[in-house]
Amino acid sequence: MVTELVKLGDGLQVYTQSVLETQYIYDEIFQQGCYSTLELPDKPLVFDVGGNIGMFVLFIKSTYPDAEIVSFEPMPDSIDLFGRNMDLHGHTDVTLHRTALGSKPEAGVTFSFFPMLPANSTRYPEIKEQPKAQMAQLSDAALADQMYFAEKVTVDVERLAAYLPADRDVDLLKVDVEGAEADVLLGIDDAQWPRIRRVVVEVADLDDQLERVCSILRAQGFEVTPQQAPLTDAEDNYYMVQAVRV
């Protein structure tokens, strides 16, 4: 894995293996404010499903320095960079679980890891056919093939229910897992949902995934608001789903 220490806006530095993708994520989170409407207590407990290299964690810590964060990331290269970025910024109250999450425990599940676009890594590589085709149309097929070249990685899958605290509220559950969003939500027991105060989910609306996610959240007592994701066009079918307990 070839990595770089890159400087983003406002002097933020991170270790990454994909400068282009990291700049995009920085713009999405820090500049476009896809999480800026969150209203959390001063010392929130945040669950971060899809930790990647830690950009979301760095944003939360920049806004809520006393936040306690529990992250989940299954890809080995991203796990390494996540740890390096937490060390770089001195964040010791962040816990990283090296596992994927889903609706049931499974061993030895194959994921597709994209070295050029690691944040796009997924259990469901078919959802990347549309953005790959769009890239091929806008640039050329050879570049699209290069950017979406996938390595197979075998990981275990657990349910989020196994990690949620029994005696504390979760102030925010963030889910960004490239096609497995409904799986993650179905991995929460009904009795645990009342302790989750707010949810934000990034969803690629393929095969009615957006409606599945919204229906699960509404059934658990949330007011749900889906909006087009920042830095995307309508035909991209990417949404940010905000859910607040009512």
Side-chain angles (χ1 to χ4, degrees), residues 76-105:
D77 286 1
S78 298
I79 288 169
D80 177 70
L81 290 169
F82 185 104
R84 293 173 68 182
N85 285 326
M86 294 306 106
D87 291 343
L88 177 66
H89 292 277
H91 296 317
T92 58
D93 49 356
V94 177
T95 301
L96 178 64
H97 295 286
R98 305 179 178 197
T99 185
L101 295 178
S103 60
K104 61 183 179 181

PDB file of all heavy atoms in Angstrom, residues 76-105:
ATOM      1  N   PRO A  76      -8.564  -4.051   5.494  1.00  0.00           N
ATOM      2  CA  PRO A  76      -7.280  -3.937   6.203  1.00  0.00           C
ATOM      3  C   PRO A  76      -6.510  -2.658   5.905  1.00  0.00           C
ATOM      4  O   PRO A  76      -5.950  -2.038   6.829  1.00  0.00           O
ATOM      5  CB  PRO A  76      -6.513  -5.178   5.735  1.00  0.00           C
ATOM      6  CG  PRO A  76      -7.581  -6.174   5.417  1.00  0.00           C
ATOM      7  CD  PRO A  76      -8.707  -5.367   4.830  1.00  0.00           C
ATOM      8  N   ASP A  77      -6.417  -2.241   4.646  1.00  0.00           N
ATOM      9  CA  ASP A  77      -5.672  -1.016   4.329  1.00  0.00           C
ATOM     10  C   ASP A  77      -6.308   0.197   4.986  1.00  0.00           C
ATOM     11  O   ASP A  77      -5.609   1.074   5.518  1.00  0.00           O
ATOM     12  CB  ASP A  77      -5.607  -0.802   2.818  1.00  0.00           C
ATOM     13  CG  ASP A  77      -4.639  -1.758   2.133  1.00  0.00           C
ATOM     14  OD1 ASP A  77      -4.028  -2.600   2.829  1.00  0.00           O
ATOM     15  OD2 ASP A  77      -4.498  -1.667   0.894  1.00  0.00           O
ATOM     16  N   SER A  78      -7.628   0.270   4.958  1.00  0.00           N
ATOM     17  CA  SER A  78      -8.322   1.401   5.574  1.00  0.00           C
ATOM     18  C   SER A  78      -8.187   1.366   7.090  1.00  0.00           C
ATOM     19  O   SER A  78      -8.068   2.423   7.735  1.00  0.00           O
ATOM     20  CB  SER A  78      -9.798   1.404   5.160  1.00  0.00           C
ATOM     21  OG  SER A  78      -9.920   1.563   3.759  1.00  0.00           O
ATOM     22  N   ILE A  79      -8.198   0.180   7.670  1.00  0.00           N
ATOM     23  CA  ILE A  79      -7.990   0.047   9.118  1.00  0.00           C
ATOM     24  C   ILE A  79      -6.643   0.639   9.517  1.00  0.00           C
ATOM     25  O   ILE A  79      -6.528   1.379  10.503  1.00  0.00           O
ATOM     26  CB  ILE A  79      -8.079  -1.438   9.534  1.00  0.00           C
ATOM     27  CG1 ILE A  79      -9.530  -1.922   9.456  1.00  0.00           C
ATOM     28  CG2 ILE A  79      -7.507  -1.657  10.937  1.00  0.00           C
ATOM     29  CD1 ILE A  79      -9.677  -3.427   9.588  1.00  0.00           C
ATOM     30  N   ASP A  80      -5.602   0.316   8.746  1.00  0.00           N
ATOM     31  CA  ASP A  80      -4.271   0.835   9.032  1.00  0.00           C
ATOM     32  C   ASP A  80      -4.238   2.360   8.970  1.00  0.00           C
ATOM     33  O   ASP A  80      -3.703   3.022   9.868  1.00  0.00           O
ATOM     34  CB  ASP A  80      -3.267   0.247   8.040  1.00  0.00           C
ATOM     35  CG  ASP A  80      -1.863   0.801   8.234  1.00  0.00           C
ATOM     36  OD1 ASP A  80      -1.232   0.472   9.255  1.00  0.00           O
ATOM     37  OD2 ASP A  80      -1.412   1.591   7.380  1.00  0.00           O
ATOM     38  N   LEU A  81      -4.835   2.929   7.936  1.00  0.00           N
ATOM     39  CA  LEU A  81      -4.834   4.381   7.784  1.00  0.00           C
ATOM     40  C   LEU A  81      -5.703   5.060   8.834  1.00  0.00           C
ATOM     41  O   LEU A  81      -5.383   6.157   9.313  1.00  0.00           O
ATOM     42  CB  LEU A  81      -5.295   4.758   6.378  1.00  0.00           C
ATOM     43  CG  LEU A  81      -4.295   4.405   5.267  1.00  0.00           C
ATOM     44  CD1 LEU A  81      -4.941   4.551   3.902  1.00  0.00           C
ATOM     45  CD2 LEU A  81      -3.054   5.276   5.369  1.00  0.00           C
ATOM     46  N   PHE A  82      -6.816   4.430   9.198  1.00  0.00           N
ATOM     47  CA  PHE A  82      -7.671   4.953  10.267  1.00  0.00           C
ATOM     48  C   PHE A  82      -6.845   5.119  11.543  1.00  0.00           C
ATOM     49  O   PHE A  82      -6.864   6.177  12.181  1.00  0.00           O
ATOM     50  CB  PHE A  82      -8.846   4.010  10.503  1.00  0.00           C
ATOM     51  CG  PHE A  82      -9.864   4.494  11.496  1.00  0.00           C
ATOM     52  CD1 PHE A  82     -11.080   5.000  11.067  1.00  0.00           C
ATOM     53  CD2 PHE A  82      -9.626   4.425  12.862  1.00  0.00           C
ATOM     54  CE1 PHE A  82     -12.035   5.436  11.986  1.00  0.00           C
ATOM     55  CE2 PHE A  82     -10.570   4.850  13.789  1.00  0.00           C
ATOM     56  CZ  PHE A  82     -11.774   5.359  13.347  1.00  0.00           C
ATOM     57  N   GLY A  83      -6.116   4.076  11.908  1.00  0.00           N
ATOM     58  CA  GLY A  83      -5.299   4.139  13.120  1.00  0.00           C
ATOM     59  C   GLY A  83      -4.224   5.208  13.045  1.00  0.00           C
ATOM     60  O   GLY A  83      -3.981   5.938  14.020  1.00  0.00           O
ATOM     61  N   ARG A  84      -3.584   5.330  11.899  1.00  0.00           N
ATOM     62  CA  ARG A  84      -2.541   6.343  11.730  1.00  0.00           C
ATOM     63  C   ARG A  84      -3.124   7.751  11.827  1.00  0.00           C
ATOM     64  O   ARG A  84      -2.499   8.653  12.403  1.00  0.00           O
ATOM     65  CB  ARG A  84      -1.824   6.140  10.395  1.00  0.00           C
ATOM     66  CG  ARG A  84      -1.012   4.865  10.338  1.00  0.00           C
ATOM     67  CD  ARG A  84      -0.455   4.596   8.950  1.00  0.00           C
ATOM     68  NE  ARG A  84       0.558   5.577   8.580  1.00  0.00           N
ATOM     69  CZ  ARG A  84       1.166   5.584   7.396  1.00  0.00           C
ATOM     70  NH1 ARG A  84       0.855   4.681   6.472  1.00  0.00           N
ATOM     71  NH2 ARG A  84       2.084   6.503   7.127  1.00  0.00           N
ATOM     72  N   ASN A  85      -4.317   7.944  11.292  1.00  0.00           N
ATOM     73  CA  ASN A  85      -4.936   9.266  11.356  1.00  0.00           C
ATOM     74  C   ASN A  85      -5.400   9.612  12.765  1.00  0.00           C
ATOM     75  O   ASN A  85      -5.342  10.778  13.173  1.00  0.00           O
ATOM     76  CB  ASN A  85      -6.087   9.354  10.353  1.00  0.00           C
ATOM     77  CG  ASN A  85      -5.581   9.491   8.930  1.00  0.00           C
ATOM     78  OD1 ASN A  85      -4.553  10.104   8.671  1.00  0.00           O
ATOM     79  ND2 ASN A  85      -6.306   8.899   7.981  1.00  0.00           N
ATOM     80  N   MET A  86      -5.867   8.622  13.524  1.00  0.00           N
ATOM     81  CA  MET A  86      -6.227   8.900  14.914  1.00  0.00           C
ATOM     82  C   MET A  86      -4.983   9.255  15.716  1.00  0.00           C
ATOM     83  O   MET A  86      -4.995  10.196  16.533  1.00  0.00           O
ATOM     84  CB  MET A  86      -6.941   7.698  15.533  1.00  0.00           C
ATOM     85  CG  MET A  86      -8.300   7.378  14.921  1.00  0.00           C
ATOM     86  SD  MET A  86      -9.483   8.752  14.869  1.00  0.00           S
ATOM     87  CE  MET A  86      -9.448   9.153  13.099  1.00  0.00           C
ATOM     88  N   ASP A  87      -3.879   8.529  15.482  1.00  0.00           N
ATOM     89  CA  ASP A  87      -2.625   8.848  16.169  1.00  0.00           C
ATOM     90  C   ASP A  87      -2.120  10.236  15.771  1.00  0.00           C
ATOM     91  O   ASP A  87      -1.645  11.000  16.624  1.00  0.00           O
ATOM     92  CB  ASP A  87      -1.560   7.803  15.840  1.00  0.00           C
ATOM     93  CG  ASP A  87      -1.856   6.438  16.450  1.00  0.00           C
ATOM     94  OD1 ASP A  87      -2.687   6.366  17.386  1.00  0.00           O
ATOM     95  OD2 ASP A  87      -1.258   5.449  15.990  1.00  0.00           O
ATOM     96  N   LEU A  88      -2.216  10.561  14.496  1.00  0.00           N
ATOM     97  CA  LEU A  88      -1.740  11.845  14.002  1.00  0.00           C
ATOM     98  C   LEU A  88      -2.434  13.000  14.706  1.00  0.00           C
ATOM     99  O   LEU A  88      -1.810  14.024  15.016  1.00  0.00           O
ATOM    100  CB  LEU A  88      -1.979  11.924  12.488  1.00  0.00           C
ATOM    101  CG  LEU A  88      -1.610  13.235  11.782  1.00  0.00           C
ATOM    102  CD1 LEU A  88      -0.096  13.447  11.834  1.00  0.00           C
ATOM    103  CD2 LEU A  88      -2.096  13.213  10.334  1.00  0.00           C
ATOM    104  N   HIS A  89      -3.725  12.832  14.984  1.00  0.00           N
ATOM    105  CA  HIS A  89      -4.511  13.914  15.590  1.00  0.00           C
ATOM    106  C   HIS A  89      -4.713  13.735  17.094  1.00  0.00           C
ATOM    107  O   HIS A  89      -5.434  14.519  17.724  1.00  0.00           O
ATOM    108  CB  HIS A  89      -5.850  14.042  14.872  1.00  0.00           C
ATOM    109  CG  HIS A  89      -5.695  14.535  13.461  1.00  0.00           C
ATOM    110  ND1 HIS A  89      -5.574  15.872  13.157  1.00  0.00           N
ATOM    111  CD2 HIS A  89      -5.601  13.871  12.277  1.00  0.00           C
ATOM    112  CE1 HIS A  89      -5.426  16.013  11.851  1.00  0.00           C
ATOM    113  NE2 HIS A  89      -5.448  14.821  11.288  1.00  0.00           N
ATOM    114  N   GLY A  90      -4.110  12.702  17.663  1.00  0.00           N
ATOM    115  CA  GLY A  90      -4.135  12.521  19.105  1.00  0.00           C
ATOM    116  C   GLY A  90      -5.475  12.122  19.682  1.00  0.00           C
ATOM    117  O   GLY A  90      -5.765  12.428  20.846  1.00  0.00           O
ATOM    118  N   HIS A  91      -6.293  11.421  18.890  1.00  0.00           N
ATOM    119  CA  HIS A  91      -7.611  11.012  19.380  1.00  0.00           C
ATOM    120  C   HIS A  91      -7.516   9.620  20.010  1.00  0.00           C
ATOM    121  O   HIS A  91      -7.347   8.617  19.316  1.00  0.00           O
ATOM    122  CB  HIS A  91      -8.628  11.003  18.241  1.00  0.00           C
ATOM    123  CG  HIS A  91      -8.885  12.350  17.655  1.00  0.00           C
ATOM    124  ND1 HIS A  91      -9.046  13.483  18.440  1.00  0.00           N
ATOM    125  CD2 HIS A  91      -9.016  12.768  16.358  1.00  0.00           C
ATOM    126  CE1 HIS A  91      -9.256  14.522  17.658  1.00  0.00           C
ATOM    127  NE2 HIS A  91      -9.236  14.130  16.400  1.00  0.00           N
ATOM    128  N   THR A  92      -7.636   9.581  21.327  1.00  0.00           N
ATOM    129  CA  THR A  92      -7.514   8.324  22.057  1.00  0.00           C
ATOM    130  C   THR A  92      -8.862   7.758  22.496  1.00  0.00           C
ATOM    131  O   THR A  92      -8.938   6.617  22.933  1.00  0.00           O
ATOM    132  CB  THR A  92      -6.635   8.511  23.306  1.00  0.00           C
ATOM    133  OG1 THR A  92      -7.209   9.537  24.132  1.00  0.00           O
ATOM    134  CG2 THR A  92      -5.225   8.926  22.916  1.00  0.00           C
ATOM    135  N   ASP A  93      -9.926   8.546  22.393  1.00  0.00           N
ATOM    136  CA  ASP A  93     -11.249   8.089  22.823  1.00  0.00           C
ATOM    137  C   ASP A  93     -12.093   7.643  21.625  1.00  0.00           C
ATOM    138  O   ASP A  93     -13.294   7.868  21.563  1.00  0.00           O
ATOM    139  CB  ASP A  93     -11.975   9.174  23.613  1.00  0.00           C
ATOM    140  CG  ASP A  93     -11.956  10.531  22.927  1.00  0.00           C
ATOM    141  OD1 ASP A  93     -11.315  10.644  21.863  1.00  0.00           O
ATOM    142  OD2 ASP A  93     -12.572  11.477  23.453  1.00  0.00           O
ATOM    143  N   VAL A  94     -11.430   7.001  20.670  1.00  0.00           N
ATOM    144  CA  VAL A  94     -12.078   6.424  19.498  1.00  0.00           C
ATOM    145  C   VAL A  94     -11.761   4.936  19.465  1.00  0.00           C
ATOM    146  O   VAL A  94     -10.584   4.540  19.499  1.00  0.00           O
ATOM    147  CB  VAL A  94     -11.596   7.094  18.197  1.00  0.00           C
ATOM    148  CG1 VAL A  94     -12.236   6.428  16.984  1.00  0.00           C
ATOM    149  CG2 VAL A  94     -11.892   8.591  18.211  1.00  0.00           C
ATOM    150  N   THR A  95     -12.781   4.112  19.417  1.00  0.00           N
ATOM    151  CA  THR A  95     -12.617   2.659  19.355  1.00  0.00           C
ATOM    152  C   THR A  95     -12.932   2.171  17.950  1.00  0.00           C
ATOM    153  O   THR A  95     -13.972   2.528  17.393  1.00  0.00           O
ATOM    154  CB  THR A  95     -13.553   1.959  20.356  1.00  0.00           C
ATOM    155  OG1 THR A  95     -13.265   2.425  21.676  1.00  0.00           O
ATOM    156  CG2 THR A  95     -13.374   0.444  20.302  1.00  0.00           C
ATOM    157  N   LEU A  96     -12.045   1.376  17.374  1.00  0.00           N
ATOM    158  CA  LEU A  96     -12.277   0.820  16.047  1.00  0.00           C
ATOM    159  C   LEU A  96     -12.439  -0.689  16.130  1.00  0.00           C
ATOM    160  O   LEU A  96     -11.552  -1.382  16.631  1.00  0.00           O
ATOM    161  CB  LEU A  96     -11.120   1.151  15.105  1.00  0.00           C
ATOM    162  CG  LEU A  96     -11.245   0.564  13.696  1.00  0.00           C
ATOM    163  CD1 LEU A  96     -12.450   1.145  12.967  1.00  0.00           C
ATOM    164  CD2 LEU A  96      -9.972   0.782  12.890  1.00  0.00           C
ATOM    165  N   HIS A  97     -13.574  -1.186  15.635  1.00  0.00           N
ATOM    166  CA  HIS A  97     -13.804  -2.625  15.523  1.00  0.00           C
ATOM    167  C   HIS A  97     -13.547  -3.041  14.081  1.00  0.00           C
ATOM    168  O   HIS A  97     -14.118  -2.482  13.148  1.00  0.00           O
ATOM    169  CB  HIS A  97     -15.235  -2.977  15.935  1.00  0.00           C
ATOM    170  CG  HIS A  97     -15.524  -2.715  17.374  1.00  0.00           C
ATOM    171  ND1 HIS A  97     -15.046  -3.508  18.388  1.00  0.00           N
ATOM    172  CD2 HIS A  97     -16.241  -1.720  17.978  1.00  0.00           C
ATOM    173  CE1 HIS A  97     -15.452  -3.049  19.554  1.00  0.00           C
ATOM    174  NE2 HIS A  97     -16.178  -1.955  19.331  1.00  0.00           N
ATOM    175  N   ARG A  98     -12.696  -4.036  13.915  1.00  0.00           N
ATOM    176  CA  ARG A  98     -12.253  -4.458  12.577  1.00  0.00           C
ATOM    177  C   ARG A  98     -13.187  -5.534  12.028  1.00  0.00           C
ATOM    178  O   ARG A  98     -12.819  -6.696  11.873  1.00  0.00           O
ATOM    179  CB  ARG A  98     -10.817  -4.966  12.654  1.00  0.00           C
ATOM    180  CG  ARG A  98      -9.864  -3.959  13.267  1.00  0.00           C
ATOM    181  CD  ARG A  98      -8.447  -4.476  13.363  1.00  0.00           C
ATOM    182  NE  ARG A  98      -7.566  -3.454  13.924  1.00  0.00           N
ATOM    183  CZ  ARG A  98      -6.241  -3.476  13.830  1.00  0.00           C
ATOM    184  NH1 ARG A  98      -5.650  -4.488  13.203  1.00  0.00           N
ATOM    185  NH2 ARG A  98      -5.512  -2.512  14.353  1.00  0.00           N
ATOM    186  N   THR A  99     -14.395  -5.112  11.727  1.00  0.00           N
ATOM    187  CA  THR A  99     -15.400  -6.050  11.239  1.00  0.00           C
ATOM    188  C   THR A  99     -16.390  -5.327  10.342  1.00  0.00           C
ATOM    189  O   THR A  99     -16.562  -4.107  10.451  1.00  0.00           O
ATOM    190  CB  THR A  99     -16.152  -6.716  12.411  1.00  0.00           C
ATOM    191  OG1 THR A  99     -17.043  -7.715  11.904  1.00  0.00           O
ATOM    192  CG2 THR A  99     -16.950  -5.699  13.211  1.00  0.00           C
ATOM    193  N   ALA A 100     -17.026  -6.088   9.461  1.00  0.00           N
ATOM    194  CA  ALA A 100     -18.176  -5.585   8.727  1.00  0.00           C
ATOM    195  C   ALA A 100     -19.425  -5.849   9.551  1.00  0.00           C
ATOM    196  O   ALA A 100     -19.433  -6.705  10.446  1.00  0.00           O
ATOM    197  CB  ALA A 100     -18.279  -6.267   7.371  1.00  0.00           C
ATOM    198  N   LEU A 101     -20.491  -5.124   9.264  1.00  0.00           N
ATOM    199  CA  LEU A 101     -21.758  -5.321   9.957  1.00  0.00           C
ATOM    200  C   LEU A 101     -22.846  -5.682   8.963  1.00  0.00           C
ATOM    201  O   LEU A 101     -22.837  -5.240   7.812  1.00  0.00           O
ATOM    202  CB  LEU A 101     -22.155  -4.053  10.713  1.00  0.00           C
ATOM    203  CG  LEU A 101     -21.245  -3.642  11.868  1.00  0.00           C
ATOM    204  CD1 LEU A 101     -21.734  -2.334  12.482  1.00  0.00           C
ATOM    205  CD2 LEU A 101     -21.157  -4.728  12.927  1.00  0.00           C
ATOM    206  N   GLY A 102     -23.797  -6.508   9.426  1.00  0.00           N
ATOM    207  CA  GLY A 102     -24.888  -6.930   8.571  1.00  0.00           C
ATOM    208  C   GLY A 102     -26.068  -7.400   9.387  1.00  0.00           C
ATOM    209  O   GLY A 102     -26.135  -7.197  10.597  1.00  0.00           O
ATOM    210  N   SER A 103     -27.004  -8.060   8.724  1.00  0.00           N
ATOM    211  CA  SER A 103     -28.236  -8.473   9.390  1.00  0.00           C
ATOM    212  C   SER A 103     -28.048  -9.726  10.244  1.00  0.00           C
ATOM    213  O   SER A 103     -28.860 -10.000  11.125  1.00  0.00           O
ATOM    214  CB  SER A 103     -29.334  -8.721   8.357  1.00  0.00           C
ATOM    215  OG  SER A 103     -28.934  -9.746   7.448  1.00  0.00           O
ATOM    216  N   LYS A 104     -26.962 -10.477   9.971  1.00  0.00           N
ATOM    217  CA  LYS A 104     -26.686 -11.690  10.739  1.00  0.00           C
ATOM    218  C   LYS A 104     -25.189 -11.956  10.749  1.00  0.00           C
ATOM    219  O   LYS A 104     -24.468 -11.502   9.847  1.00  0.00           O
ATOM    220  CB  LYS A 104     -27.424 -12.882  10.126  1.00  0.00           C
ATOM    221  CG  LYS A 104     -26.998 -13.179   8.693  1.00  0.00           C
ATOM    222  CD  LYS A 104     -27.811 -14.315   8.089  1.00  0.00           C
ATOM    223  CE  LYS A 104     -27.388 -14.569   6.639  1.00  0.00           C
ATOM    224  NZ  LYS A 104     -28.182 -15.658   6.013  1.00  0.00           N
ATOM    225  N   PRO A 105     -24.683 -12.692  11.751  1.00  0.00           N
ATOM    226  CA  PRO A 105     -23.264 -13.022  11.767  1.00  0.00           C
ATOM    227  C   PRO A 105     -22.924 -13.997  10.628  1.00  0.00           C
ATOM    228  O   PRO A 105     -23.651 -14.955  10.382  1.00  0.00           O
ATOM    229  CB  PRO A 105     -23.075 -13.695  13.133  1.00  0.00           C
ATOM    230  CG  PRO A 105     -24.254 -13.292  13.946  1.00  0.00           C
ATOM    231  CD  PRO A 105     -25.380 -13.139  12.970  1.00  0.00           C
TER     232      PRO A 105
END
